[in-house]
Amino acid sequence: MKKKILQVVSRPGRYGMVGDGFRVFNYFPGMISDRKLVSPFLMLDFNPAYDFGPSEQPRGVDVHPHKGFETVTIAYQGSVAHHDSSGNSGVIHPGDVQWMTAGAGILHKEYHETNFSKAGGPFEMVQLWVNLPKKDKLTPPKYQALEAAKMNKITLPENGGYVNIIAGELNGKAGSAITFTPINVYDVKLNANGSMEFDTPEKHNTFILVINGKVEVNGEAADTHQFVIFKNEGESISIKAQTDSVLLVLSGEPIDEPIAQYGPFVMNTQEELQEAFQEYQSGKFGVLN
Ligand code: MN
């Protein structure tokens, strides 16, 4: 059965700055405050293409903590560098993904990559926060660098485009990221008149962000920067592109557990939040300069 659409919403009116390098529009929890409706996802920030101009000092966010969930950064244009207190670091370029499991607690910093900073040019990215179930909140921190060129891919028929399967599975093909709960994340590039069809389980919360382009999703129009929110009714999704289009498809099985959040810490109880804060204050998340 065709998956029903709850709403197609437009980009939020205002952006916010994350540090001085990420000019983001918050799709949720900003526009969807009921966390059950987006679970297992916690947050979606989108930095549409923006040229910050050349800079000798890379823009970004300095050292900060995370605990109890995962941060997923998808680069569409420009390059992002990452360093964390577990000793992991990496640079992602367009199409690449950083999948960082904060788990038991980590410090990291996120910057425009040095050469990209010096040159300037359009910067376009998404940051997604994915919750961890209670049993995995204290998993050791981990970093997965998922390169576009090595990502599992499906080529669409009739020159329709292609899909990089960042996580989960698509039409029987597995995605690249290792996840803790069932999640699908697709980087979809459709050519004008290209189309694709797939299923996501009825109980998965499912969304499509139109990064660029103009598409029809299950018969409804969705334009650049619009966000398609599905109901938990039906499975099948059919997308047809009117123009060359880039889409981020998200679906995930809800985690039916309480959420206690204070900024970059996402736990299940207030007590655990206090503990996280004390651990951070006392240096238990390690050292990062
Ligand atoms: Mn961060």
Side-chain angles (χ1 to χ4, degrees):
M1 192 184 117
K2 200 155 101 171
K3 197 176 280 287
K4 290 200 173 140
I5 292 173
L6 176 68
Q7 222 184 335
V8 178
V9 296
S10 291
R11 191 181 78 181
R14 291 175 186 196
Y15 67 86
M17 289 301 295
V18 181
D20 65 356
F22 303 92
R23 187 180 180 273
V24 301
F25 293 84
N26 178 252
Y27 282 68
F28 61 78
M31 291 198 293
I32 313 172
S33 55
D34 183 350
R35 311 201 82 157
K36 284 192 170 137
L37 299 180
V38 298
S39 180
F41 307 108
L42 294 163
M43 189 199 79
L44 176 65
D45 269 351
F46 174 37
N47 182 143
Y50 184 79
D51 190 342
F52 291 88
S55 170
E56 285 299 314
Q57 197 67 12
R59 296 168 180 275
V61 204
D62 207 354
V63 180
H64 60 279
H66 289 293
K67 181 178 181 180
F69 64 101
E70 303 183 285
T71 68
V72 178
T73 307
I74 305 164
Y76 291 96
Q77 296 187 68
S79 303
V80 187
H82 158 99
H83 288 86
D84 69 45
S85 53
S86 301
N88 289 313
S89 65
V91 175
I92 55 167
H93 302 289
D96 301 342
V97 176
Q98 290 174 342
W99 197 293
M100 187 189 78
T101 307
I106 200 167
L107 303 176
H108 80 156
K109 52 183 180 180
E110 303 157 271
Y111 279 95
H112 294 201
E113 185 269 333
T114 309
N115 289 325
F116 171 72
S117 284
K118 284 181 182 161
F123 183 77
E124 186 175 45
M125 56 79 70
V126 160
Q127 189 166 86
L128 179 69
W129 288 10
V130 181
N131 204 1
L132 288 169
K134 186 177 174 58
K135 68 176 179 58
D136 295 315
K137 281 206 179 283
L138 302 184
T139 192
K142 188 169 82 179
Y143 178 75
Q144 300 175 70
L146 311 169
E147 286 176 45
K150 293 180 187 163
M151 232 180 265
N152 290 343
K153 175 191 296 250
I154 280 190
T155 303
L156 300 167
E158 292 167 29
N159 194 31
Y162 68 91
V163 182
N164 276 349
I165 312 167
I166 298 171
E169 64 94 24
L170 174 59
N171 296 336
K173 208 164 197 179
S176 295
I178 296 162
T179 68
F180 287 82
T181 60
I183 287 169
N184 296 301
V185 182
Y186 309 147
D187 178 15
V188 179
K189 309 280 204 275
L190 290 174
N191 295 326
N193 299 315
S195 63
M196 70 177 286
E197 288 188 17
F198 60 100
D199 285 1
T200 70
E202 191 158 57
K203 69 175 172 183
H204 273 212
N205 290 324
T206 304
F207 309 94
I208 297 175
L209 174 62
V210 184
I211 303 286
N212 276 302
K214 195 175 177 57
V215 294
E216 207 176 79
V217 180
N218 285 0
E220 285 200 35
D223 218 325
T224 296
H225 301 174
Q226 287 192 317
F227 190 57
V228 182
I229 306 167
F230 290 90
K231 288 184 184 175
N232 297 95
E233 279 177 58
E235 298 88 26
S236 72
I237 297 175
S238 151
I239 305 174
K240 192 169 178 1
Q242 263 94 54
T243 62
D244 289 355
S245 300
V246 178
L247 312 173
L248 174 63
V249 176
L250 303 173
S251 93
E253 189 180 289
I255 298 172
D256 189 17
E257 292 171 355
I259 292 175
Q261 177 167 7
Y262 179 81
F265 308 128
V266 183
M267 305 303 292
N268 299 112
T269 66
Q270 289 299 319
E271 227 170 29
E272 288 165 351
L273 271 188
Q274 294 205 342
E275 195 181 13
F277 198 72
Q278 279 158 14
E279 287 169 355
Y280 167 53
Q281 294 284 54
S282 64
K284 284 215 175 102
F285 293 174
V287 178
L288 182 66
N289 293 313

PDB file of all heavy atoms in Angstrom, residues 105-137:
ATOM      1  N   GLY A 105      30.472   9.014  25.758  1.00  0.00           N
ATOM      2  CA  GLY A 105      30.911  10.394  25.934  1.00  0.00           C
ATOM      3  C   GLY A 105      32.159  10.701  25.152  1.00  0.00           C
ATOM      4  O   GLY A 105      33.099   9.904  25.130  1.00  0.00           O
ATOM      5  N   ILE A 106      32.170  11.870  24.514  1.00  0.00           N
ATOM      6  CA  ILE A 106      33.276  12.231  23.624  1.00  0.00           C
ATOM      7  C   ILE A 106      33.370  13.757  23.553  1.00  0.00           C
ATOM      8  O   ILE A 106      32.389  14.465  23.810  1.00  0.00           O
ATOM      9  CB  ILE A 106      33.024  11.616  22.219  1.00  0.00           C
ATOM     10  CG1 ILE A 106      34.301  11.528  21.405  1.00  0.00           C
ATOM     11  CG2 ILE A 106      31.933  12.377  21.465  1.00  0.00           C
ATOM     12  CD1 ILE A 106      34.168  10.656  20.158  1.00  0.00           C
ATOM     13  N   LEU A 107      34.548  14.231  23.201  1.00  0.00           N
ATOM     14  CA  LEU A 107      34.701  15.637  22.835  1.00  0.00           C
ATOM     15  C   LEU A 107      35.050  15.660  21.356  1.00  0.00           C
ATOM     16  O   LEU A 107      35.798  14.797  20.888  1.00  0.00           O
ATOM     17  CB  LEU A 107      35.864  16.283  23.594  1.00  0.00           C
ATOM     18  CG  LEU A 107      35.833  16.252  25.115  1.00  0.00           C
ATOM     19  CD1 LEU A 107      37.121  16.869  25.664  1.00  0.00           C
ATOM     20  CD2 LEU A 107      34.622  17.011  25.646  1.00  0.00           C
ATOM     21  N   HIS A 108      34.503  16.609  20.617  1.00  0.00           N
ATOM     22  CA  HIS A 108      34.970  16.748  19.234  1.00  0.00           C
ATOM     23  C   HIS A 108      34.875  18.190  18.771  1.00  0.00           C
ATOM     24  O   HIS A 108      34.331  19.042  19.442  1.00  0.00           O
ATOM     25  CB  HIS A 108      34.245  15.778  18.277  1.00  0.00           C
ATOM     26  CG  HIS A 108      32.885  16.196  17.826  1.00  0.00           C
ATOM     27  ND1 HIS A 108      32.322  15.737  16.646  1.00  0.00           N
ATOM     28  CD2 HIS A 108      31.963  17.008  18.380  1.00  0.00           C
ATOM     29  CE1 HIS A 108      31.125  16.255  16.502  1.00  0.00           C
ATOM     30  NE2 HIS A 108      30.865  17.019  17.528  1.00  0.00           N
ATOM     31  N   LYS A 109      35.498  18.456  17.624  1.00  0.00           N
ATOM     32  CA  LYS A 109      35.356  19.760  16.969  1.00  0.00           C
ATOM     33  C   LYS A 109      35.129  19.538  15.491  1.00  0.00           C
ATOM     34  O   LYS A 109      35.595  18.538  14.917  1.00  0.00           O
ATOM     35  CB  LYS A 109      36.570  20.658  17.232  1.00  0.00           C
ATOM     36  CG  LYS A 109      37.912  20.040  16.934  1.00  0.00           C
ATOM     37  CD  LYS A 109      39.041  21.007  17.300  1.00  0.00           C
ATOM     38  CE  LYS A 109      40.399  20.424  17.018  1.00  0.00           C
ATOM     39  NZ  LYS A 109      41.505  21.336  17.367  1.00  0.00           N
ATOM     40  N   GLU A 110      34.369  20.435  14.887  1.00  0.00           N
ATOM     41  CA  GLU A 110      33.945  20.283  13.497  1.00  0.00           C
ATOM     42  C   GLU A 110      34.232  21.596  12.759  1.00  0.00           C
ATOM     43  O   GLU A 110      33.775  22.655  13.194  1.00  0.00           O
ATOM     44  CB  GLU A 110      32.436  19.995  13.452  1.00  0.00           C
ATOM     45  CG  GLU A 110      32.034  18.761  14.250  1.00  0.00           C
ATOM     46  CD  GLU A 110      30.568  18.771  14.679  1.00  0.00           C
ATOM     47  OE1 GLU A 110      30.253  19.295  15.760  1.00  0.00           O
ATOM     48  OE2 GLU A 110      29.736  18.257  13.937  1.00  0.00           O
ATOM     49  N   TYR A 111      35.017  21.494  11.706  1.00  0.00           N
ATOM     50  CA  TYR A 111      35.467  22.685  10.986  1.00  0.00           C
ATOM     51  C   TYR A 111      35.372  22.517   9.472  1.00  0.00           C
ATOM     52  O   TYR A 111      35.415  21.393   8.975  1.00  0.00           O
ATOM     53  CB  TYR A 111      36.944  22.957  11.316  1.00  0.00           C
ATOM     54  CG  TYR A 111      37.133  23.662  12.621  1.00  0.00           C
ATOM     55  CD1 TYR A 111      37.392  22.957  13.784  1.00  0.00           C
ATOM     56  CD2 TYR A 111      37.034  25.045  12.681  1.00  0.00           C
ATOM     57  CE1 TYR A 111      37.551  23.604  15.002  1.00  0.00           C
ATOM     58  CE2 TYR A 111      37.193  25.710  13.882  1.00  0.00           C
ATOM     59  CZ  TYR A 111      37.445  24.975  15.046  1.00  0.00           C
ATOM     60  OH  TYR A 111      37.598  25.625  16.227  1.00  0.00           O
ATOM     61  N   HIS A 112      35.308  23.642   8.776  1.00  0.00           N
ATOM     62  CA  HIS A 112      35.528  23.589   7.336  1.00  0.00           C
ATOM     63  C   HIS A 112      36.982  23.149   7.141  1.00  0.00           C
ATOM     64  O   HIS A 112      37.866  23.596   7.872  1.00  0.00           O
ATOM     65  CB  HIS A 112      35.352  24.973   6.708  1.00  0.00           C
ATOM     66  CG  HIS A 112      33.946  25.501   6.795  1.00  0.00           C
ATOM     67  ND1 HIS A 112      33.484  26.483   5.959  1.00  0.00           N
ATOM     68  CD2 HIS A 112      32.904  25.169   7.602  1.00  0.00           C
ATOM     69  CE1 HIS A 112      32.214  26.749   6.260  1.00  0.00           C
ATOM     70  NE2 HIS A 112      31.843  25.967   7.256  1.00  0.00           N
ATOM     71  N   GLU A 113      37.200  22.293   6.184  1.00  0.00           N
ATOM     72  CA  GLU A 113      38.554  21.801   5.909  1.00  0.00           C
ATOM     73  C   GLU A 113      39.435  22.977   5.443  1.00  0.00           C
ATOM     74  O   GLU A 113      38.954  23.904   4.781  1.00  0.00           O
ATOM     75  CB  GLU A 113      38.449  20.692   4.846  1.00  0.00           C
ATOM     76  CG  GLU A 113      39.733  19.983   4.526  1.00  0.00           C
ATOM     77  CD  GLU A 113      40.468  20.641   3.399  1.00  0.00           C
ATOM     78  OE1 GLU A 113      39.799  21.290   2.557  1.00  0.00           O
ATOM     79  OE2 GLU A 113      41.704  20.520   3.369  1.00  0.00           O
ATOM     80  N   THR A 114      40.712  22.940   5.818  1.00  0.00           N
ATOM     81  CA  THR A 114      41.603  24.093   5.644  1.00  0.00           C
ATOM     82  C   THR A 114      41.664  24.632   4.209  1.00  0.00           C
ATOM     83  O   THR A 114      41.512  25.836   3.994  1.00  0.00           O
ATOM     84  CB  THR A 114      43.036  23.712   6.095  1.00  0.00           C
ATOM     85  OG1 THR A 114      42.933  23.139   7.396  1.00  0.00           O
ATOM     86  CG2 THR A 114      43.934  24.927   6.147  1.00  0.00           C
ATOM     87  N   ASN A 115      41.882  23.739   3.231  1.00  0.00           N
ATOM     88  CA  ASN A 115      42.008  24.220   1.844  1.00  0.00           C
ATOM     89  C   ASN A 115      40.693  24.771   1.321  1.00  0.00           C
ATOM     90  O   ASN A 115      40.661  25.778   0.601  1.00  0.00           O
ATOM     91  CB  ASN A 115      42.508  23.104   0.929  1.00  0.00           C
ATOM     92  CG  ASN A 115      43.961  22.775   1.210  1.00  0.00           C
ATOM     93  OD1 ASN A 115      44.752  23.666   1.543  1.00  0.00           O
ATOM     94  ND2 ASN A 115      44.307  21.500   1.125  1.00  0.00           N
ATOM     95  N   PHE A 116      39.590  24.124   1.706  1.00  0.00           N
ATOM     96  CA  PHE A 116      38.271  24.630   1.312  1.00  0.00           C
ATOM     97  C   PHE A 116      38.049  26.016   1.925  1.00  0.00           C
ATOM     98  O   PHE A 116      37.564  26.930   1.256  1.00  0.00           O
ATOM     99  CB  PHE A 116      37.161  23.659   1.735  1.00  0.00           C
ATOM    100  CG  PHE A 116      35.792  24.225   1.545  1.00  0.00           C
ATOM    101  CD1 PHE A 116      35.267  24.385   0.274  1.00  0.00           C
ATOM    102  CD2 PHE A 116      35.040  24.646   2.634  1.00  0.00           C
ATOM    103  CE1 PHE A 116      34.003  24.946   0.088  1.00  0.00           C
ATOM    104  CE2 PHE A 116      33.780  25.210   2.465  1.00  0.00           C
ATOM    105  CZ  PHE A 116      33.272  25.354   1.190  1.00  0.00           C
ATOM    106  N   SER A 117      38.445  26.167   3.181  1.00  0.00           N
ATOM    107  CA  SER A 117      38.301  27.467   3.863  1.00  0.00           C
ATOM    108  C   SER A 117      39.042  28.563   3.120  1.00  0.00           C
ATOM    109  O   SER A 117      38.514  29.661   2.931  1.00  0.00           O
ATOM    110  CB  SER A 117      38.881  27.399   5.274  1.00  0.00           C
ATOM    111  OG  SER A 117      38.010  26.722   6.116  1.00  0.00           O
ATOM    112  N   LYS A 118      40.280  28.247   2.727  1.00  0.00           N
ATOM    113  CA  LYS A 118      41.108  29.254   2.062  1.00  0.00           C
ATOM    114  C   LYS A 118      40.517  29.672   0.725  1.00  0.00           C
ATOM    115  O   LYS A 118      40.570  30.832   0.334  1.00  0.00           O
ATOM    116  CB  LYS A 118      42.521  28.717   1.850  1.00  0.00           C
ATOM    117  CG  LYS A 118      43.322  28.737   3.141  1.00  0.00           C
ATOM    118  CD  LYS A 118      44.738  28.233   2.913  1.00  0.00           C
ATOM    119  CE  LYS A 118      45.488  28.234   4.248  1.00  0.00           C
ATOM    120  NZ  LYS A 118      46.668  27.371   4.220  1.00  0.00           N
ATOM    121  N   ALA A 119      39.943  28.688   0.017  1.00  0.00           N
ATOM    122  CA  ALA A 119      39.408  28.963  -1.322  1.00  0.00           C
ATOM    123  C   ALA A 119      38.006  29.571  -1.255  1.00  0.00           C
ATOM    124  O   ALA A 119      37.633  30.383  -2.096  1.00  0.00           O
ATOM    125  CB  ALA A 119      39.374  27.670  -2.132  1.00  0.00           C
ATOM    126  N   GLY A 120      37.217  29.199  -0.257  1.00  0.00           N
ATOM    127  CA  GLY A 120      35.809  29.606  -0.210  1.00  0.00           C
ATOM    128  C   GLY A 120      35.002  28.824  -1.233  1.00  0.00           C
ATOM    129  O   GLY A 120      35.508  27.868  -1.840  1.00  0.00           O
ATOM    130  N   GLY A 121      33.738  29.201  -1.402  1.00  0.00           N
ATOM    131  CA  GLY A 121      32.871  28.482  -2.336  1.00  0.00           C
ATOM    132  C   GLY A 121      31.671  27.937  -1.601  1.00  0.00           C
ATOM    133  O   GLY A 121      31.611  27.968  -0.369  1.00  0.00           O
ATOM    134  N   PRO A 122      30.691  27.435  -2.370  1.00  0.00           N
ATOM    135  CA  PRO A 122      29.450  27.003  -1.732  1.00  0.00           C
ATOM    136  C   PRO A 122      29.651  25.837  -0.765  1.00  0.00           C
ATOM    137  O   PRO A 122      30.399  24.904  -1.047  1.00  0.00           O
ATOM    138  CB  PRO A 122      28.555  26.590  -2.913  1.00  0.00           C
ATOM    139  CG  PRO A 122      29.460  26.469  -4.083  1.00  0.00           C
ATOM    140  CD  PRO A 122      30.658  27.322  -3.823  1.00  0.00           C
ATOM    141  N   PHE A 123      28.995  25.960   0.369  1.00  0.00           N
ATOM    142  CA  PHE A 123      29.059  24.956   1.426  1.00  0.00           C
ATOM    143  C   PHE A 123      27.632  24.485   1.673  1.00  0.00           C
ATOM    144  O   PHE A 123      26.715  25.299   1.847  1.00  0.00           O
ATOM    145  CB  PHE A 123      29.645  25.610   2.684  1.00  0.00           C
ATOM    146  CG  PHE A 123      29.831  24.676   3.846  1.00  0.00           C
ATOM    147  CD1 PHE A 123      30.887  23.784   3.869  1.00  0.00           C
ATOM    148  CD2 PHE A 123      28.961  24.708   4.929  1.00  0.00           C
ATOM    149  CE1 PHE A 123      31.072  22.924   4.952  1.00  0.00           C
ATOM    150  CE2 PHE A 123      29.140  23.862   6.007  1.00  0.00           C
ATOM    151  CZ  PHE A 123      30.194  22.966   6.029  1.00  0.00           C
ATOM    152  N   GLU A 124      27.441  23.170   1.639  1.00  0.00           N
ATOM    153  CA  GLU A 124      26.087  22.624   1.777  1.00  0.00           C
ATOM    154  C   GLU A 124      26.187  21.311   2.539  1.00  0.00           C
ATOM    155  O   GLU A 124      26.928  20.415   2.133  1.00  0.00           O
ATOM    156  CB  GLU A 124      25.479  22.404   0.389  1.00  0.00           C
ATOM    157  CG  GLU A 124      24.023  21.981   0.382  1.00  0.00           C
ATOM    158  CD  GLU A 124      23.470  21.906  -1.050  1.00  0.00           C
ATOM    159  OE1 GLU A 124      24.174  21.352  -1.934  1.00  0.00           O
ATOM    160  OE2 GLU A 124      22.360  22.390  -1.280  1.00  0.00           O
ATOM    161  N   MET A 125      25.491  21.198   3.656  1.00  0.00           N
ATOM    162  CA  MET A 125      25.598  19.976   4.458  1.00  0.00           C
ATOM    163  C   MET A 125      24.351  19.760   5.308  1.00  0.00           C
ATOM    164  O   MET A 125      23.534  20.662   5.472  1.00  0.00           O
ATOM    165  CB  MET A 125      26.843  19.998   5.343  1.00  0.00           C
ATOM    166  CG  MET A 125      26.988  21.179   6.282  1.00  0.00           C
ATOM    167  SD  MET A 125      25.996  21.109   7.796  1.00  0.00           S
ATOM    168  CE  MET A 125      26.842  19.796   8.639  1.00  0.00           C
ATOM    169  N   VAL A 126      24.253  18.543   5.817  1.00  0.00           N
ATOM    170  CA  VAL A 126      23.179  18.186   6.759  1.00  0.00           C
ATOM    171  C   VAL A 126      23.836  17.588   7.993  1.00  0.00           C
ATOM    172  O   VAL A 126      24.810  16.833   7.876  1.00  0.00           O
ATOM    173  CB  VAL A 126      22.207  17.151   6.133  1.00  0.00           C
ATOM    174  CG1 VAL A 126      21.405  16.421   7.214  1.00  0.00           C
ATOM    175  CG2 VAL A 126      21.252  17.828   5.152  1.00  0.00           C
ATOM    176  N   GLN A 127      23.330  17.957   9.161  1.00  0.00           N
ATOM    177  CA  GLN A 127      23.692  17.175  10.346  1.00  0.00           C
ATOM    178  C   GLN A 127      22.431  16.591  10.965  1.00  0.00           C
ATOM    179  O   GLN A 127      21.447  17.278  11.217  1.00  0.00           O
ATOM    180  CB  GLN A 127      24.476  17.962  11.388  1.00  0.00           C
ATOM    181  CG  GLN A 127      24.997  16.975  12.461  1.00  0.00           C
ATOM    182  CD  GLN A 127      26.072  17.523  13.383  1.00  0.00           C
ATOM    183  OE1 GLN A 127      25.773  18.134  14.382  1.00  0.00           O
ATOM    184  NE2 GLN A 127      27.334  17.297  13.020  1.00  0.00           N
ATOM    185  N   LEU A 128      22.536  15.282  11.180  1.00  0.00           N
ATOM    186  CA  LEU A 128      21.429  14.493  11.700  1.00  0.00           C
ATOM    187  C   LEU A 128      21.884  13.905  13.037  1.00  0.00           C
ATOM    188  O   LEU A 128      23.010  13.429  13.138  1.00  0.00           O
ATOM    189  CB  LEU A 128      21.163  13.378  10.684  1.00  0.00           C
ATOM    190  CG  LEU A 128      20.074  12.361  10.934  1.00  0.00           C
ATOM    191  CD1 LEU A 128      18.706  13.013  10.832  1.00  0.00           C
ATOM    192  CD2 LEU A 128      20.187  11.229   9.912  1.00  0.00           C
ATOM    193  N   TRP A 129      21.033  13.954  14.045  1.00  0.00           N
ATOM    194  CA  TRP A 129      21.334  13.277  15.310  1.00  0.00           C
ATOM    195  C   TRP A 129      20.438  12.051  15.416  1.00  0.00           C
ATOM    196  O   TRP A 129      19.214  12.146  15.232  1.00  0.00           O
ATOM    197  CB  TRP A 129      21.088  14.203  16.510  1.00  0.00           C
ATOM    198  CG  TRP A 129      22.107  15.300  16.654  1.00  0.00           C
ATOM    199  CD1 TRP A 129      23.069  15.652  15.758  1.00  0.00           C
ATOM    200  CD2 TRP A 129      22.237  16.201  17.766  1.00  0.00           C
ATOM    201  NE1 TRP A 129      23.802  16.712  16.253  1.00  0.00           N
ATOM    202  CE2 TRP A 129      23.310  17.071  17.480  1.00  0.00           C
ATOM    203  CE3 TRP A 129      21.552  16.351  18.980  1.00  0.00           C
ATOM    204  CZ2 TRP A 129      23.719  18.079  18.359  1.00  0.00           C
ATOM    205  CZ3 TRP A 129      21.956  17.362  19.845  1.00  0.00           C
ATOM    206  CH2 TRP A 129      23.030  18.204  19.541  1.00  0.00           C
ATOM    207  N   VAL A 130      21.077  10.918  15.700  1.00  0.00           N
ATOM    208  CA  VAL A 130      20.358   9.641  15.796  1.00  0.00           C
ATOM    209  C   VAL A 130      20.459   9.147  17.242  1.00  0.00           C
ATOM    210  O   VAL A 130      21.567   9.033  17.785  1.00  0.00           O
ATOM    211  CB  VAL A 130      20.986   8.591  14.849  1.00  0.00           C
ATOM    212  CG1 VAL A 130      20.230   7.273  14.938  1.00  0.00           C
ATOM    213  CG2 VAL A 130      20.996   9.099  13.400  1.00  0.00           C
ATOM    214  N   ASN A 131      19.319   8.846  17.836  1.00  0.00           N
ATOM    215  CA  ASN A 131      19.330   8.406  19.229  1.00  0.00           C
ATOM    216  C   ASN A 131      19.868   6.975  19.349  1.00  0.00           C
ATOM    217  O   ASN A 131      19.841   6.205  18.380  1.00  0.00           O
ATOM    218  CB  ASN A 131      17.917   8.480  19.810  1.00  0.00           C
ATOM    219  CG  ASN A 131      17.929   8.623  21.332  1.00  0.00           C
ATOM    220  OD1 ASN A 131      18.991   8.680  21.959  1.00  0.00           O
ATOM    221  ND2 ASN A 131      16.745   8.692  21.920  1.00  0.00           N
ATOM    222  N   LEU A 132      20.374   6.654  20.520  1.00  0.00           N
ATOM    223  CA  LEU A 132      20.778   5.280  20.831  1.00  0.00           C
ATOM    224  C   LEU A 132      19.778   4.713  21.821  1.00  0.00           C
ATOM    225  O   LEU A 132      19.308   5.425  22.712  1.00  0.00           O
ATOM    226  CB  LEU A 132      22.179   5.261  21.456  1.00  0.00           C
ATOM    227  CG  LEU A 132      23.344   5.571  20.525  1.00  0.00           C
ATOM    228  CD1 LEU A 132      24.624   5.786  21.326  1.00  0.00           C
ATOM    229  CD2 LEU A 132      23.543   4.451  19.503  1.00  0.00           C
ATOM    230  N   PRO A 133      19.456   3.410  21.685  1.00  0.00           N
ATOM    231  CA  PRO A 133      18.578   2.791  22.673  1.00  0.00           C
ATOM    232  C   PRO A 133      19.300   2.726  24.025  1.00  0.00           C
ATOM    233  O   PRO A 133      20.533   2.739  24.073  1.00  0.00           O
ATOM    234  CB  PRO A 133      18.327   1.393  22.107  1.00  0.00           C
ATOM    235  CG  PRO A 133      19.477   1.126  21.206  1.00  0.00           C
ATOM    236  CD  PRO A 133      19.928   2.454  20.677  1.00  0.00           C
ATOM    237  N   LYS A 134      18.519   2.656  25.090  1.00  0.00           N
ATOM    238  CA  LYS A 134      19.057   2.643  26.454  1.00  0.00           C
ATOM    239  C   LYS A 134      20.221   1.652  26.595  1.00  0.00           C
ATOM    240  O   LYS A 134      21.258   1.981  27.161  1.00  0.00           O
ATOM    241  CB  LYS A 134      17.916   2.268  27.408  1.00  0.00           C
ATOM    242  CG  LYS A 134      18.251   2.344  28.874  1.00  0.00           C
ATOM    243  CD  LYS A 134      16.999   2.025  29.698  1.00  0.00           C
ATOM    244  CE  LYS A 134      17.302   1.932  31.181  1.00  0.00           C
ATOM    245  NZ  LYS A 134      17.894   3.165  31.743  1.00  0.00           N
ATOM    246  N   LYS A 135      20.067   0.475  26.008  1.00  0.00           N
ATOM    247  CA  LYS A 135      21.091  -0.566  26.194  1.00  0.00           C
ATOM    248  C   LYS A 135      22.424  -0.230  25.513  1.00  0.00           C
ATOM    249  O   LYS A 135      23.441  -0.834  25.836  1.00  0.00           O
ATOM    250  CB  LYS A 135      20.573  -1.926  25.703  1.00  0.00           C
ATOM    251  CG  LYS A 135      20.366  -2.027  24.209  1.00  0.00           C
ATOM    252  CD  LYS A 135      19.950  -3.451  23.816  1.00  0.00           C
ATOM    253  CE  LYS A 135      19.710  -3.602  22.333  1.00  0.00           C
ATOM    254  NZ  LYS A 135      20.845  -3.275  21.461  1.00  0.00           N
ATOM    255  N   ASP A 136      22.410   0.720  24.600  1.00  0.00           N
ATOM    256  CA  ASP A 136      23.644   1.069  23.873  1.00  0.00           C
ATOM    257  C   ASP A 136      24.155   2.483  24.162  1.00  0.00           C
ATOM    258  O   ASP A 136      25.116   2.930  23.548  1.00  0.00           O
ATOM    259  CB  ASP A 136      23.425   0.921  22.362  1.00  0.00           C
ATOM    260  CG  ASP A 136      23.174  -0.521  21.961  1.00  0.00           C
ATOM    261  OD1 ASP A 136      23.905  -1.403  22.452  1.00  0.00           O
ATOM    262  OD2 ASP A 136      22.229  -0.767  21.183  1.00  0.00           O
ATOM    263  N   LYS A 137      23.501   3.200  25.088  1.00  0.00           N
ATOM    264  CA  LYS A 137      23.902   4.604  25.310  1.00  0.00           C
ATOM    265  C   LYS A 137      25.347   4.741  25.774  1.00  0.00           C
ATOM    266  O   LYS A 137      25.983   5.748  25.516  1.00  0.00           O
ATOM    267  CB  LYS A 137      22.952   5.290  26.289  1.00  0.00           C
ATOM    268  CG  LYS A 137      21.649   5.716  25.617  1.00  0.00           C
ATOM    269  CD  LYS A 137      21.006   6.876  26.321  1.00  0.00           C
ATOM    270  CE  LYS A 137      19.720   7.303  25.636  1.00  0.00           C
ATOM    271  NZ  LYS A 137      19.972   8.090  24.400  1.00  0.00           N
TER     272      LYS A 137
END
